[in-house]
Amino acid sequence: MRRGSLFQEHLKRIKITNENYLKNLIVYVNTNSSHHQFEDYTTYKYSSYKALISNQETALKRDEVIELFDDLSNFKYVLHIKNLNINILQELILE
């Protein structure tokens, strides 16, 4: 049997009990590729963003996620603003 951090669970779990915290996590997860300068969050293929904004079948609880942000346009807006802030901070750091 193999052992080591790769094969053993070592992640800390935090129970989400606050709706604002949940919304912040959703925004963070979906804009993370932009934050780390991998790729724009709207085109990053490993993000759930495309599945959340589409009408295609998904295992995600799309309606529940979008409802947290009131509607789809506000969800897109919140992520867009977060991305703008990320870009501004990255430009300041590079100066």
Side-chain angles (χ1 to χ4, degrees):
M1 181 174 183
R2 294 179 185 251
R3 295 190 180 269
S5 64
L6 179 62
F7 303 101
Q8 295 176 344
E9 192 171 324
H10 60 278
L11 301 174
K12 292 183 180 180
R13 294 186 180 117
I14 299 172
K15 186 174 183 175
I16 301 170
T17 58
N18 181 301
E19 187 175 294
N20 284 332
Y21 183 58
L22 175 59
K23 289 194 282 190
N24 283 325
L25 286 175
I26 292 168
V27 171
Y28 171 77
V29 165
N30 281 285
T31 58
N32 199 28
S33 63
S34 293
H35 176 76
H36 292 288
Q37 299 176 339
F38 295 139
E39 191 172 324
D40 184 85
Y41 75 96
T42 61
T43 57
Y44 190 55
K45 70 179 182 176
Y46 300 109
S47 170
S48 59
Y49 178 76
K50 286 182 182 179
L52 288 169
I53 65 167
S54 77
N55 290 324
Q56 295 179 353
E57 190 173 322
T58 180
L60 297 174
K61 295 185 177 184
R62 176 189 299 129
D63 294 338
E64 292 178 30
V65 171
I66 299 303
E67 191 175 301
L68 286 170
F69 295 88
D70 296 327
D71 59 32
L72 182 58
S73 63
N74 194 51
F75 174 71
K76 290 179 180 181
Y77 175 77
V78 169
L79 269 64
H80 176 72
I81 293 300
K82 174 68 174 182
N83 193 54
L84 286 177
N85 290 336
I86 290 168
N87 290 338
I88 290 168
L89 285 174
Q90 287 172 346
E91 287 178 21
L92 289 174
I93 290 170
L94 293 175
E95 289 181 355

XYZ file of all heavy atoms in Angstrom:
807
model
N 0.835 -1.184 0.000
C 0.000 0.000 0.000
C 0.880 1.248 0.000
O 1.839 1.348 0.736
C -0.896 -0.029 1.242
C -1.820 1.128 1.326
S -2.913 0.870 2.735
C -3.908 2.263 2.549
N 0.530 2.196 -0.827
C 1.316 3.426 -0.917
C 0.909 4.398 0.174
O -0.237 4.465 0.578
C 1.125 4.066 -2.278
C 1.680 3.226 -3.395
C 1.441 3.889 -4.727
N 1.870 3.019 -5.791
C 2.949 3.238 -6.544
N 3.668 4.305 -6.351
N 3.269 2.405 -7.484
N 1.860 5.185 0.610
C 1.600 6.185 1.645
C 2.255 7.501 1.220
O 3.082 7.537 0.347
C 2.163 5.747 2.995
C 1.467 4.519 3.540
C 1.884 4.286 4.979
N 1.226 3.113 5.505
C 0.065 3.139 6.128
N -0.555 4.273 6.315
N -0.464 2.031 6.582
N 1.870 8.551 1.876
C 2.424 9.862 1.580
C 1.316 10.860 1.340
O 0.146 10.498 1.188
N 1.687 12.134 1.313
C 0.671 13.190 1.219
C -0.118 13.118 -0.087
O -1.272 13.535 -0.137
C 1.307 14.566 1.373
O 2.209 14.811 0.309
N 0.470 12.584 -1.135
C -0.245 12.455 -2.395
C -1.397 11.465 -2.280
O -2.442 11.645 -2.890
C 0.713 12.015 -3.502
C 0.120 11.796 -4.894
C -0.468 13.110 -5.421
C 1.170 11.262 -5.838
N -1.229 10.434 -1.467
C -2.216 9.369 -1.365
C -3.101 9.477 -0.132
O -4.051 8.737 0.014
C -1.513 8.012 -1.367
C -0.656 7.818 -2.585
C 0.707 7.984 -2.516
C -1.228 7.503 -3.804
C 1.505 7.820 -3.641
C -0.449 7.338 -4.938
C 0.923 7.503 -4.856
N -2.775 10.371 0.772
C -3.549 10.515 1.993
C -4.294 11.844 1.988
O -3.801 12.843 1.463
C -2.637 10.458 3.224
C -1.980 9.105 3.399
C -1.015 9.096 4.573
O -0.618 10.135 5.060
N -0.642 7.902 5.009
N -5.440 11.823 2.602
C -6.231 13.043 2.689
C -5.562 13.998 3.675
O -5.267 13.634 4.808
C -7.634 12.690 3.169
C -8.600 13.818 3.022
C -10.019 13.370 3.294
O -10.373 12.243 2.944
O -10.742 14.178 3.862
N -5.316 15.211 3.235
C -4.640 16.174 4.097
C -5.287 17.559 4.027
O -4.738 18.530 4.516
C -3.153 16.257 3.751
C -2.893 16.676 2.329
N -2.944 15.789 1.296
C -2.610 17.870 1.787
C -2.689 16.425 0.162
N -2.484 17.691 0.432
N -6.434 17.632 3.416
C -7.101 18.918 3.280
C -7.927 19.227 4.518
O -8.548 18.349 5.094
C -8.015 18.918 2.049
C -7.334 18.634 0.724
C -8.370 18.510 -0.373
C -6.349 19.725 0.393
N -7.924 20.492 4.899
C -8.779 20.923 5.992
C -10.137 21.266 5.405
O -10.232 21.881 4.354
C -8.201 22.148 6.695
C -6.941 21.872 7.447
C -6.481 23.119 8.162
C -5.207 22.861 8.921
N -4.757 24.062 9.616
N -11.164 20.859 6.087
C -12.515 21.171 5.639
C -13.122 22.190 6.580
O -12.952 22.102 7.786
C -13.377 19.918 5.610
C -12.928 18.928 4.580
C -13.922 17.781 4.500
N -13.481 16.846 3.503
C -13.153 15.597 3.758
N -13.250 15.130 4.968
N -12.763 14.800 2.794
N -13.834 23.126 6.002
C -14.542 24.124 6.787
C -16.005 24.051 6.394
O -16.342 24.160 5.212
C -13.994 25.545 6.519
C -12.523 25.620 6.902
C -14.811 26.581 7.267
C -11.844 26.915 6.504
N -16.851 23.853 7.362
C -18.284 23.806 7.096
C -18.763 25.214 6.754
O -18.490 26.174 7.476
C -19.034 23.276 8.312
C -20.495 23.060 8.055
C -21.163 22.406 9.253
C -22.617 22.140 8.932
N -23.260 21.401 10.025
N -19.465 25.331 5.651
C -19.966 26.621 5.207
C -21.325 26.853 5.852
O -22.285 26.156 5.552
C -20.081 26.685 3.678
C -18.715 26.438 3.053
C -20.664 28.022 3.227
C -18.750 26.232 1.559
N -21.375 27.833 6.741
C -22.614 28.122 7.461
C -23.139 29.519 7.158
O -24.184 29.906 7.657
C -22.405 27.991 8.985
O -21.364 28.886 9.382
C -22.016 26.571 9.363
N -22.414 30.257 6.337
C -22.762 31.640 6.048
C -22.934 31.812 4.536
O -22.055 31.441 3.761
C -21.631 32.537 6.574
C -21.869 33.993 6.370
O -22.037 34.449 5.242
N -21.862 34.744 7.452
N -24.048 32.376 4.120
C -24.322 32.535 2.687
C -23.317 33.461 2.011
O -22.914 33.217 0.878
C -25.743 33.062 2.494
C -26.166 33.086 1.047
C -27.615 33.485 0.874
O -28.493 32.716 1.312
O -27.856 34.562 0.303
N -22.887 34.512 2.686
C -21.900 35.418 2.090
C -20.571 34.708 1.853
O -19.904 34.935 0.844
C -21.695 36.655 2.964
C -22.827 37.630 2.833
O -23.487 37.705 1.797
N -23.090 38.374 3.892
N -20.193 33.854 2.794
C -18.969 33.079 2.637
C -19.084 32.144 1.433
O -18.162 32.023 0.634
C -18.669 32.301 3.919
C -17.380 31.522 3.889
C -16.159 32.146 3.651
C -17.378 30.152 4.114
C -14.985 31.439 3.618
C -16.193 29.424 4.088
C -15.002 30.077 3.839
O -13.832 29.374 3.808
N -20.230 31.504 1.279
C -20.475 30.627 0.134
C -20.375 31.408 -1.174
O -19.720 30.963 -2.121
C -21.846 29.966 0.246
C -22.282 29.110 -0.948
C -21.292 27.981 -1.203
C -23.681 28.571 -0.716
N -20.982 32.582 -1.229
C -20.907 33.394 -2.455
C -19.471 33.794 -2.753
O -19.038 33.745 -3.910
C -21.799 34.629 -2.328
C -23.264 34.305 -2.381
C -24.132 35.513 -2.593
C -24.317 36.322 -1.368
N -25.336 37.375 -1.500
N -18.723 34.171 -1.730
C -17.318 34.529 -1.936
C -16.510 33.342 -2.443
O -15.628 33.514 -3.300
C -16.702 35.078 -0.648
C -17.120 36.501 -0.376
O -17.291 37.292 -1.296
N -17.310 36.829 0.879
N -16.797 32.154 -1.946
C -16.104 30.960 -2.438
C -16.424 30.690 -3.896
O -15.533 30.348 -4.680
C -16.482 29.743 -1.594
C -15.880 29.669 -0.203
C -16.451 28.475 0.553
C -14.374 29.574 -0.271
N -17.681 30.837 -4.260
C -18.087 30.624 -5.657
C -17.372 31.607 -6.578
O -16.850 31.233 -7.632
C -19.614 30.734 -5.799
C -20.292 29.553 -5.085
C -20.030 30.792 -7.273
C -21.783 29.711 -4.904
N -17.316 32.848 -6.172
C -16.618 33.875 -6.966
C -15.126 33.546 -7.037
O -14.514 33.598 -8.108
C -16.860 35.281 -6.377
C -15.966 36.315 -7.040
C -18.326 35.665 -6.518
N -14.540 33.192 -5.910
C -13.114 32.872 -5.868
C -12.776 31.696 -6.788
O -11.844 31.766 -7.585
C -12.688 32.549 -4.430
C -11.290 32.007 -4.336
C -10.189 32.861 -4.434
C -11.047 30.644 -4.192
C -8.901 32.374 -4.376
C -9.766 30.146 -4.138
C -8.691 31.006 -4.223
O -7.417 30.524 -4.178
N -13.546 30.626 -6.674
C -13.279 29.429 -7.477
C -13.398 29.733 -8.967
O -12.580 29.287 -9.769
C -14.235 28.284 -7.068
C -14.241 27.176 -8.096
C -13.866 27.758 -5.699
N -14.384 30.528 -9.335
C -14.614 30.787 -10.756
C -13.689 31.840 -11.346
O -13.528 31.898 -12.562
C -16.081 31.158 -10.988
C -16.951 29.938 -10.992
O -16.962 29.183 -11.953
N -17.661 29.710 -9.900
N -13.054 32.662 -10.528
C -12.115 33.668 -11.054
C -10.665 33.316 -10.738
O -9.760 34.085 -11.052
C -12.433 35.069 -10.479
O -12.373 35.024 -9.057
C -13.790 35.550 -10.939
N -10.436 32.165 -10.157
C -9.095 31.772 -9.721
C -8.096 31.707 -10.870
O -6.936 32.068 -10.708
C -9.164 30.439 -8.990
C -7.956 30.192 -8.131
O -7.331 31.125 -7.654
N -7.628 28.934 -7.929
N -8.530 31.276 -12.041
C -7.592 31.184 -13.176
C -7.095 32.563 -13.591
O -5.939 32.718 -13.979
C -8.249 30.478 -14.362
O -9.348 31.224 -14.838
N -7.946 33.571 -13.492
C -7.516 34.936 -13.802
C -6.561 35.455 -12.724
O -5.561 36.104 -13.021
C -8.723 35.870 -13.893
O -9.523 35.553 -14.997
N -6.886 35.150 -11.475
C -6.054 35.602 -10.359
C -4.634 35.071 -10.480
O -3.674 35.774 -10.223
C -6.686 35.167 -9.034
C -5.869 35.503 -7.834
N -5.796 36.788 -7.344
C -5.088 34.741 -7.052
C -5.005 36.796 -6.295
N -4.559 35.562 -6.087
N -4.497 33.824 -10.892
C -3.178 33.211 -11.014
C -2.615 33.324 -12.428
O -1.613 32.695 -12.748
C -3.234 31.751 -10.568
C -3.480 31.626 -9.098
N -2.535 31.922 -8.154
C -4.593 31.276 -8.408
C -3.040 31.746 -6.949
N -4.294 31.358 -7.079
N -3.257 34.124 -13.253
C -2.807 34.444 -14.604
C -2.634 33.213 -15.492
O -1.761 33.164 -16.350
C -1.520 35.262 -14.549
C -1.691 36.571 -13.824
C -0.395 37.339 -13.673
O 0.691 36.795 -13.749
N -0.526 38.641 -13.448
N -3.479 32.177 -15.272
C -3.478 31.027 -16.183
C -4.188 31.411 -17.468
O -3.675 31.273 -18.554
C -4.219 29.819 -15.599
C -3.585 29.238 -14.376
C -4.376 28.826 -13.326
C -2.222 29.081 -14.264
C -3.813 28.265 -12.192
C -1.655 28.529 -13.137
C -2.454 28.121 -12.104
N -5.419 31.864 -17.292
C -6.286 32.151 -18.422
C -7.469 32.953 -17.905
O -7.809 32.894 -16.734
C -6.770 30.838 -19.033
C -7.465 30.982 -20.363
C -7.753 29.630 -20.992
O -6.949 28.703 -20.852
O -8.814 29.523 -21.625
N -8.114 33.679 -18.798
C -9.313 34.417 -18.427
C -10.369 33.451 -17.904
O -10.587 32.388 -18.481
C -9.848 35.177 -19.641
C -11.035 36.026 -19.286
O -10.835 37.164 -18.820
O -12.174 35.541 -19.443
N -11.022 33.818 -16.821
C -11.989 32.913 -16.180
C -13.147 32.537 -17.099
O -13.732 31.470 -16.945
C -12.521 33.505 -14.878
C -13.526 34.632 -15.059
C -14.891 34.390 -15.024
C -13.106 35.943 -15.262
C -15.809 35.406 -15.191
C -14.016 36.955 -15.431
C -15.367 36.694 -15.388
O -16.274 37.705 -15.549
N -13.472 33.362 -18.082
C -14.604 33.065 -18.969
C -14.273 31.984 -19.997
O -15.177 31.379 -20.572
C -15.090 34.326 -19.705
O -14.027 34.839 -20.502
C -15.572 35.380 -18.723
N -12.991 31.743 -20.223
C -12.586 30.755 -21.219
C -11.828 29.565 -20.627
O -11.528 28.622 -21.353
C -11.701 31.403 -22.301
O -10.561 32.003 -21.672
C -12.480 32.450 -23.071
N -11.530 29.617 -19.358
C -10.759 28.550 -18.714
C -11.586 27.264 -18.683
O -12.670 27.220 -18.112
C -10.357 28.980 -17.304
C -9.365 28.077 -16.630
C -8.144 27.764 -17.221
C -9.636 27.542 -15.376
C -7.228 26.944 -16.591
C -8.712 26.723 -14.738
C -7.513 26.440 -15.345
O -6.602 25.629 -14.721
N -11.082 26.202 -19.307
C -11.885 25.001 -19.487
C -12.078 24.188 -18.214
O -12.957 23.337 -18.155
C -11.309 24.122 -20.591
C -10.002 23.441 -20.273
C -9.560 22.592 -21.457
C -8.288 21.846 -21.159
N -7.917 20.969 -22.263
N -11.311 24.456 -17.166
C -11.461 23.709 -15.921
C -12.329 24.439 -14.893
O -12.449 24.013 -13.765
C -10.090 23.382 -15.322
C -9.253 22.547 -16.266
C -8.158 23.084 -16.912
C -9.601 21.230 -16.526
C -7.404 22.317 -17.788
C -8.865 20.453 -17.400
C -7.762 21.010 -18.022
O -7.030 20.244 -18.894
N -12.926 25.537 -15.296
C -13.814 26.301 -14.426
C -15.254 25.840 -14.635
O -15.613 25.350 -15.700
C -13.693 27.795 -14.772
O -14.693 28.533 -14.123
N -16.075 26.044 -13.635
C -17.501 25.711 -13.760
C -18.289 26.882 -14.354
O -19.493 26.772 -14.562
C -18.073 25.336 -12.393
O -17.929 26.405 -11.481
N -17.613 27.974 -14.654
C -18.299 29.179 -15.135
C -19.158 28.908 -16.368
O -20.330 29.276 -16.408
C -17.282 30.281 -15.423
C -17.907 31.540 -15.972
C -18.593 32.411 -15.139
C -17.820 31.856 -17.323
C -19.181 33.566 -15.630
C -18.400 33.009 -17.822
C -19.074 33.850 -16.972
O -19.656 34.989 -17.474
N -18.596 28.258 -17.370
C -19.353 28.000 -18.609
C -20.589 27.150 -18.342
O -21.644 27.379 -18.919
C -18.466 27.331 -19.654
C -17.464 28.262 -20.279
C -16.661 27.535 -21.335
C -15.619 28.422 -21.947
N -14.824 27.728 -22.951
N -20.453 26.161 -17.476
C -21.602 25.307 -17.149
C -22.662 26.093 -16.385
O -23.863 25.872 -16.574
C -21.146 24.108 -16.333
N -22.221 27.008 -15.552
C -23.178 27.794 -14.761
C -23.971 28.781 -15.613
O -25.129 29.049 -15.319
C -22.459 28.535 -13.631
C -21.976 27.662 -12.475
C -21.056 28.447 -11.552
C -23.152 27.096 -11.707
N -23.363 29.313 -16.655
C -24.074 30.325 -17.458
C -24.808 29.732 -18.658
O -25.568 30.431 -19.324
C -23.129 31.451 -17.930
C -22.072 30.934 -18.884
C -22.510 32.164 -16.733
C -21.322 32.020 -19.617
N -24.594 28.440 -18.926
C -25.226 27.831 -20.100
C -26.576 27.218 -19.740
O -26.977 27.178 -18.582
C -24.316 26.747 -20.678
O -24.386 25.580 -19.890
N -27.249 26.724 -20.764
C -28.507 26.004 -20.567
C -28.321 24.499 -20.743
O -29.286 23.749 -20.687
C -29.565 26.504 -21.561
C -30.007 27.908 -21.230
O -30.109 28.273 -20.069
N -30.270 28.702 -22.255
N -27.086 24.073 -20.970
C -26.813 22.649 -21.181
C -26.928 21.885 -19.865
O -26.749 22.447 -18.781
C -25.425 22.464 -21.769
C -25.289 23.045 -23.158
C -23.888 22.865 -23.718
O -22.984 22.421 -23.027
N -23.716 23.219 -24.982
N -27.206 20.604 -19.978
C -27.345 19.758 -18.800
C -26.028 19.711 -18.019
O -24.951 19.652 -18.603
C -27.748 18.349 -19.231
C -28.144 17.468 -18.082
C -28.687 16.140 -18.540
O -29.405 16.105 -19.565
O -28.383 15.144 -17.860
N -26.139 19.757 -16.700
C -24.964 19.728 -15.837
C -25.323 19.082 -14.506
O -26.486 19.081 -14.104
C -24.402 21.150 -15.607
O -23.254 21.061 -14.756
C -25.427 22.058 -14.957
N -24.315 18.551 -13.839
C -24.519 17.989 -12.500
C -24.488 19.086 -11.440
O -24.845 18.856 -10.291
C -23.446 16.948 -12.205
N -24.064 20.275 -11.842
C -24.019 21.398 -10.896
C -25.422 21.821 -10.495
O -26.370 21.689 -11.261
C -23.311 22.598 -11.538
C -21.855 22.419 -11.920
C -21.368 23.647 -12.674
C -21.008 22.184 -10.693
N -25.536 22.373 -9.331
C -26.813 22.925 -8.881
C -26.893 24.375 -9.363
O -26.864 25.320 -8.594
C -26.935 22.813 -7.366
C -26.985 21.381 -6.908
C -27.237 21.270 -5.431
C -27.351 19.801 -5.049
N -27.695 19.647 -3.635
N -26.972 24.499 -10.687
C -26.908 25.788 -11.359
C -27.944 26.769 -10.817
O -27.614 27.907 -10.492
C -27.100 25.608 -12.860
C -27.151 26.912 -13.626
C -27.561 26.729 -15.069
N -26.633 25.897 -15.792
C -26.989 24.838 -16.517
N -28.249 24.491 -16.623
N -26.092 24.132 -17.149
N -29.191 26.350 -10.744
C -30.248 27.259 -10.306
C -30.004 27.777 -8.896
O -30.230 28.954 -8.609
C -31.617 26.578 -10.387
C -32.026 26.276 -11.820
O -31.498 26.930 -12.741
O -32.868 25.379 -12.012
N -29.512 26.904 -8.013
C -29.227 27.325 -6.642
C -28.080 28.330 -6.597
O -28.125 29.296 -5.827
C -28.906 26.114 -5.773
C -30.095 25.210 -5.541
C -29.743 23.983 -4.717
O -28.820 24.056 -3.877
O -30.406 22.948 -4.922
N -27.054 28.098 -7.401
C -25.912 29.022 -7.434
C -26.345 30.376 -7.977
O -26.075 31.415 -7.372
C -24.752 28.451 -8.281
C -23.664 29.491 -8.506
C -24.182 27.209 -7.618
N -27.040 30.377 -9.103
C -27.472 31.641 -9.714
C -28.426 32.384 -8.783
O -28.354 33.604 -8.652
C -28.120 31.388 -11.095
C -27.111 30.733 -12.048
C -28.679 32.672 -11.680
C -25.827 31.496 -12.267
N -29.285 31.657 -8.100
C -30.233 32.278 -7.172
C -29.520 32.999 -6.029
O -29.999 34.017 -5.531
C -31.178 31.214 -6.608
C -32.347 31.789 -5.842
C -33.321 30.706 -5.416
O -33.851 30.005 -6.300
O -33.515 30.567 -4.196
N -28.362 32.500 -5.622
C -27.581 33.190 -4.581
C -27.207 34.607 -5.011
O -27.037 35.496 -4.181
C -26.302 32.408 -4.269
C -26.445 31.142 -3.464
C -25.130 30.363 -3.456
C -26.881 31.455 -2.039
N -27.058 34.791 -6.326
C -26.663 36.088 -6.876
C -27.859 36.830 -7.480
O -27.689 37.790 -8.218
C -25.572 35.894 -7.923
C -24.302 35.346 -7.350
C -24.098 33.976 -7.238
C -23.319 36.192 -6.881
C -22.946 33.465 -6.688
C -22.155 35.698 -6.333
C -21.972 34.326 -6.226
N -29.046 36.393 -7.180
C -30.322 36.945 -7.642
C -30.692 36.499 -9.049
O -31.790 36.045 -9.276
C -30.384 38.470 -7.530
C -30.304 38.936 -6.092
O -30.801 38.217 -5.199
O -29.749 40.020 -5.845
N -29.794 36.664 -10.003
C -30.073 36.228 -11.373
C -28.766 36.068 -12.136
O -27.693 36.393 -11.626
C -31.028 37.186 -12.085
C -30.514 38.613 -12.169
O -29.289 38.827 -12.264
O -31.340 39.536 -12.131
N -28.866 35.548 -13.350
C -27.679 35.264 -14.155
C -26.886 36.520 -14.484
O -25.657 36.518 -14.403
C -28.076 34.540 -15.444
C -26.938 34.134 -16.373
C -25.951 33.220 -15.658
C -27.482 33.459 -17.612
N -27.556 37.599 -14.809
C -26.821 38.818 -15.178
C -26.034 39.365 -13.987
O -24.916 39.842 -14.145
C -27.756 39.877 -15.760
O -28.694 40.286 -14.804
N -26.582 39.268 -12.788
C -25.854 39.739 -11.611
C -24.684 38.809 -11.285
O -23.622 39.272 -10.874
C -26.785 39.870 -10.406
C -26.140 40.660 -9.293
O -25.630 41.746 -9.507
N -26.158 40.091 -8.097
N -24.874 37.517 -11.481
C -23.772 36.567 -11.295
C -22.603 36.932 -12.207
O -21.460 37.031 -11.768
C -24.253 35.145 -11.571
C -23.161 34.111 -11.548
C -22.558 33.748 -10.355
C -22.744 33.491 -12.714
C -21.548 32.792 -10.325
C -21.751 32.537 -12.706
C -21.145 32.190 -11.501
N -22.896 37.154 -13.479
C -21.852 37.542 -14.439
C -21.214 38.863 -14.037
O -19.991 39.030 -14.125
C -22.442 37.671 -15.844
C -22.839 36.356 -16.466
C -23.438 36.613 -17.842
C -23.856 35.374 -18.543
N -24.422 35.648 -19.880
N -22.031 39.807 -13.581
C -21.531 41.123 -13.173
C -20.573 41.000 -11.986
O -19.498 41.592 -11.995
C -22.706 42.041 -12.833
C -22.287 43.373 -12.289
C -21.807 44.370 -13.129
C -22.359 43.650 -10.927
C -21.404 45.596 -12.634
C -21.961 44.867 -10.418
C -21.484 45.839 -11.280
O -21.075 47.049 -10.779
N -20.951 40.236 -10.981
C -20.116 40.079 -9.789
C -18.766 39.476 -10.168
O -17.718 39.955 -9.720
C -20.840 39.220 -8.723
C -19.899 38.829 -7.600
C -22.049 39.957 -8.162
N -18.762 38.455 -11.002
C -17.502 37.856 -11.429
C -16.685 38.819 -12.287
O -15.461 38.872 -12.173
C -17.751 36.539 -12.171
C -17.748 35.297 -11.282
C -18.858 35.296 -10.277
C -17.744 34.041 -12.101
N -17.361 39.588 -13.121
C -16.674 40.574 -13.954
C -15.980 41.626 -13.085
O -14.812 41.965 -13.325
C -17.666 41.228 -14.910
C -17.078 42.320 -15.735
N -16.206 42.081 -16.766
C -17.224 43.659 -15.658
C -15.839 43.232 -17.303
N -16.444 44.203 -16.649
N -16.676 42.126 -12.083
C -16.094 43.135 -11.180
C -14.913 42.551 -10.419
O -13.878 43.194 -10.259
C -17.162 43.697 -10.210
C -18.214 44.501 -10.981
C -16.533 44.531 -9.104
C -17.652 45.691 -11.741
N -15.056 41.323 -9.941
C -13.947 40.659 -9.251
C -12.746 40.545 -10.180
O -11.612 40.814 -9.783
C -14.391 39.272 -8.775
C -13.295 38.432 -8.177
C -12.790 38.978 -6.877
C -11.791 38.007 -6.267
N -11.289 38.448 -4.997
N -12.980 40.204 -11.424
C -11.897 40.082 -12.395
C -11.236 41.435 -12.667
O -10.017 41.518 -12.793
C -12.412 39.458 -13.690
C -11.296 39.034 -14.593
O -10.417 38.289 -14.182
N -11.320 39.500 -15.819
N -12.031 42.493 -12.739
C -11.457 43.835 -12.916
C -10.547 44.189 -11.748
O -9.463 44.735 -11.940
C -12.560 44.882 -13.043
C -13.329 44.937 -14.353
C -14.437 45.984 -14.267
C -12.406 45.246 -15.514
N -10.988 43.880 -10.551
C -10.172 44.152 -9.366
C -8.876 43.353 -9.397
O -7.822 43.867 -9.027
C -10.958 43.845 -8.091
C -12.069 44.834 -7.855
O -12.038 45.957 -8.332
N -13.068 44.412 -7.109
N -8.959 42.112 -9.842
C -7.761 41.281 -9.969
C -6.785 41.930 -10.950
O -5.595 42.047 -10.680
C -8.124 39.850 -10.436
C -8.838 39.101 -9.326
C -6.885 39.085 -10.903
C -9.487 37.800 -9.774
N -7.296 42.372 -12.091
C -6.436 42.991 -13.103
C -5.798 44.273 -12.600
O -4.618 44.532 -12.855
C -7.237 43.265 -14.379
C -7.612 41.996 -15.100
O -6.985 40.955 -14.933
N -8.664 42.060 -15.889
N -6.552 45.075 -11.880
C -6.019 46.334 -11.327
C -4.903 46.031 -10.339
O -3.829 46.657 -10.369
C -7.132 47.164 -10.677
C -8.065 47.723 -11.749
C -6.558 48.295 -9.823
C -9.352 48.327 -11.224
N -5.115 45.065 -9.449
C -4.092 44.706 -8.465
C -2.839 44.171 -9.137
O -1.727 44.497 -8.743
C -4.651 43.675 -7.485
C -5.611 44.207 -6.444
C -6.216 43.069 -5.637
C -4.924 45.202 -5.523
N -3.007 43.360 -10.166
C -1.844 42.809 -10.868
C -1.057 43.905 -11.564
O 0.164 43.870 -11.584
C -2.288 41.734 -11.855
C -2.718 40.471 -11.157
C -3.339 39.443 -12.087
O -3.701 39.738 -13.217
N -3.478 38.237 -11.604
N -1.744 44.885 -12.112
C -1.035 46.005 -12.746
C -0.274 46.826 -11.729
O 0.828 47.277 -11.997
C -2.038 46.885 -13.508
C -2.532 46.246 -14.783
C -3.561 47.105 -15.507
O -3.611 48.323 -15.261
O -4.308 46.538 -16.324
N -0.862 47.032 -10.552
C -0.179 47.791 -9.499
C 1.074 47.060 -9.009
O 2.094 47.674 -8.732
C -1.129 48.036 -8.324
C -2.255 49.042 -8.571
C -3.202 49.059 -7.379
C -1.695 50.426 -8.826
N 0.964 45.757 -8.912
C 2.100 44.953 -8.438
C 3.242 45.007 -9.451
O 4.417 45.071 -9.081
C 1.670 43.497 -8.175
C 0.752 43.463 -6.953
C 2.865 42.573 -7.977
C 0.070 42.137 -6.718
N 2.927 45.034 -10.740
C 3.952 45.040 -11.778
C 4.630 46.377 -11.944
O 5.702 46.457 -12.534
C 3.339 44.600 -13.118
C 2.865 43.140 -13.174
C 2.173 42.871 -14.490
C 4.000 42.185 -12.958
N 4.030 47.441 -11.444
C 4.633 48.778 -11.608
C 5.795 49.004 -10.704
O 6.054 48.476 -9.733
C 3.575 49.854 -11.349
C 2.563 49.914 -12.449
C 1.498 50.996 -12.228
O 1.490 51.634 -11.163
O 0.698 51.179 -13.127
